[in-house]
Amino acid sequence: MSLTPAPKDDPHTLVSTDWLASHLKDPDLRLLDASWFLPPSERNARAEYEAAHIPGARFFDLEEISDHRSNLPHMVPPVEKFMSRMRAMGVGDGHQVVVYDSTGIFSAPRIWWTFRLMGKNDVAVLDGGLPKWQAEGRETEDLPPVIRDRHMTTQRQNHLVKDVTQVAHAAKLKQAVVVDARAPARFAGEAPEPRPGLRAGHIPGSRNLPWGNLLNQDGTMKDPAVLRMIFQEAGIDLAQPVITSCGSGVSAAILALSLERIGHRNWSLYDGSWAEWGMYEDLPVETGPAA
């Protein structure tokens, strides 16, 4: 299968700090700080945003803008809640959205995926995020943005998300390649899960591709040609549909963004990921490295 990679600066996937600097004052640009940290880090994403953010950025609270009806962590919000929160943030139709985080590339792709799921394609992740922006000596501020309501229409793209039943069916019948972004020790079941009560291991037949393998040392994403080689070396058949997974659906979006960058369009994200699969005793679990 021929894959057409995305250009270096692509407003639908990934843009550089140079691109953002040249478009920062565009009237229809909306910049979102989607920083989020795992609980052990003891970092407060909102407090860090309030102390310093790229000029004009709004804070996208991944935990608050989620489905609070679910007992799983930060599941994708209902369409109505997403639309309401975006309108309150002044994000709507006709806007070019750029999402960044203060790790480099970690939680921002999850918000990119959420917008794509809602049918919004004019959204990109800032390559290297806030650390690269600051390392280059670019401006930050601590002022809240001026918000003006903007209407948003959505058209949910259900093919971009999978639930546990769909993943179990696809894995059993080998209808798709399930790719797990967790660290090798967690994938193999050799390290305990950070969330209590979860079994250790992975979805049977899945492949392991730790999300950090897709990034350079400076937190930027590797070039599409290199990404494609990494997927292939991980034993992932890019002629097949791909379902991305991880611990709770955050780093799985880094895999999804990488697939989009290399031109692989037939992918979806398992929103519940291991937080869900590892919870159900009746679902099969494999341990050890991928076969």
Side-chain angles (χ1 to χ4, degrees):
M1 180 176 66
S2 177
L3 301 178
T4 303
K8 181 180 185 299
D9 283 317
D10 176 21
H12 306 301
T13 57
L14 194 73
V15 294
S16 66
T17 51
D18 285 340
W19 185 97
L20 179 60
S22 66
H23 290 272
L24 196 57
K25 297 188 183 303
D26 288 2
D28 284 329
L29 179 79
R30 291 295 178 270
L31 190 58
L32 303 180
D33 183 324
S35 300
W36 176 83
F37 306 109
L38 293 167
S41 73
E42 297 185 349
R43 292 176 65 179
N44 185 316
R46 182 179 288 275
E48 292 188 17
Y49 160 81
E50 291 174 351
H53 53 263
I54 299 175
R58 289 101 160 113
F59 183 70
F60 189 109
D61 190 334
L62 187 152
E63 294 291 353
E64 198 283 321
I65 308 175
S66 65
D67 188 355
H68 290 178
R69 302 168 302 179
S70 174
N71 64 344
L72 296 169
H74 43 254
M75 293 297 95
V76 70
V79 171
E80 296 77 11
K81 182 174 184 179
F82 178 80
M83 291 173 62
S84 171
R85 296 299 188 271
M86 291 306 98
R87 180 169 184 173
M89 292 167 64
V91 180
D93 294 343
H95 284 148
Q96 169 64 53
V97 176
V98 175
V99 192
Y100 73 86
D101 62 57
S102 54
T103 301
I105 293 181
F106 179 52
S107 52
R110 169 75 187 191
I111 311 310
W112 169 84
W113 168 76
T114 302
F115 272 85
R116 293 292 294 265
L117 180 64
M118 299 297 175
K120 314 305 286 186
N121 292 325
D122 293 331
V123 55
V125 170
L126 178 62
D127 200 14
L130 183 62
K132 189 170 190 293
W133 182 268
Q134 292 180 311
E136 294 168 348
R138 300 184 191 270
E139 180 185 3
T140 59
E141 66 180 16
D142 59 3
L143 302 172
V146 177
I147 302 294
R148 297 181 179 87
D149 274 9
R150 182 79 163 244
H151 178 72
M152 173 179 280
T153 55
T154 61
Q155 186 172 3
R156 185 176 158 109
Q157 305 296 301
N158 288 323
H159 65 283
L160 295 181
V161 65
K162 292 287 186 288
D163 63 24
V164 65
T165 302
Q166 292 170 315
V167 174
H169 185 77
K172 183 177 181 180
L173 299 182
K174 295 181 170 54
Q175 295 176 333
V177 183
V178 179
V179 186
D180 192 322
R182 292 177 299 158
R186 286 176 63 190
F187 178 86
E190 297 166 353
E193 284 297 307
R195 292 178 177 84
L198 296 183
R199 297 170 297 163
H202 57 264
I203 298 170
S206 59
R207 314 299 300 184
N208 186 210
L209 178 48
W211 62 271
N213 292 6
L214 304 169
L215 306 181
N216 299 306
Q217 288 187 341
D218 65 354
T220 58
M221 185 164 279
K222 293 179 177 177
D223 291 337
V226 178
L227 293 175
R228 180 175 182 175
M229 182 177 64
I230 291 170
F231 274 94
Q232 292 171 333
E233 289 177 348
I236 298 156
D237 182 359
L238 294 174
Q240 300 298 316
V242 174
I243 300 172
T244 68
S245 179
C246 60
S248 63
V250 174
S251 57
I254 304 174
L255 299 182
L257 178 61
S258 299
L259 287 166
E260 195 74 13
R261 290 288 294 163
I262 66 175
H264 189 292
R265 303 283 184 260
N266 195 358
W267 59 265
S268 54
L269 185 147
Y270 175 21
D271 198 16
S273 285
W274 196 253
E276 181 175 40
W277 191 282
M279 180 174 62
Y280 290 115
E281 294 293 336
D282 57 339
L283 289 174
V285 168
E286 280 184 351
T287 56

